[in-house]
Amino acid sequence: MKMIIAVVQDKDSNRLQDALVEKNYRATKLATTGGFLKAGNTTFMIGVEDAQIDDVMELIRENCKSRNQMVAPVSPMGGNADAYVPYPVEVEVGGATVFVLPVESFQQF
């Protein structure tokens, strides 16, 4: 058994949740915040059997796409102002960051 932890952008979370429910995968959905853009994202914890990993990974791949977005920089508070860019920059956001971890024990009460 494995635990899949997928961190996805909020814009993709409902689409992924619907796809998981449609395929009868149970997931715990957590509201989280990214450190780089300080923007909201969603973390899914999905427990699966080893044989189901590829199917869940494909669902994540199909429903969580990266995209380019203009982002206003955060001014440095007491940091190094030399690296501060005072105008919006285009960055790649979205997609998914996925971890697959072994599960030593699973119990449901």
Side-chain angles (χ1 to χ4, degrees):
M1 179 166 235
K2 301 287 192 241
M3 171 67 68
I4 297 175
I5 300 174
V7 182
V8 304
Q9 191 177 32
D10 279 343
K11 290 180 181 179
D12 297 325
S13 67
N14 287 334
R15 189 171 45 251
L16 177 58
Q17 183 177 15
D18 292 345
L20 291 168
V21 168
E22 185 177 312
K23 294 277 193 154
N24 294 319
Y25 290 111
R26 294 181 180 186
T28 298
K29 182 178 170 182
L30 305 170
T32 52
T33 303
F36 176 61
L37 298 176
K38 297 180 179 40
N41 52 39
T42 302
T43 300
F44 288 90
M45 298 189 319
I46 311 156
V48 298
E49 297 296 333
D50 290 1
Q52 298 171 313
I53 294 172
D54 291 338
D55 189 39
V56 172
M57 295 297 273
E58 186 60 29
L59 288 176
I60 295 168
R61 191 175 293 110
E62 289 172 356
N63 291 283
C64 302
K65 302 292 183 187
S66 61
R67 59 189 72 74
N68 290 332
Q69 177 177 318
M70 295 301 285
V71 175
V74 177
S75 67
M77 297 295 239
N80 184 357
D82 294 338
Y84 175 66
V85 181
Y87 49 86
V89 293
E90 187 175 43
V91 296
E92 185 176 324
V93 298
T97 301
V98 182
F99 303 90
V100 179
L101 309 169
V103 174
E104 189 172 312
S105 174
F106 170 76
Q107 298 178 18
Q108 192 170 12
F109 301 103

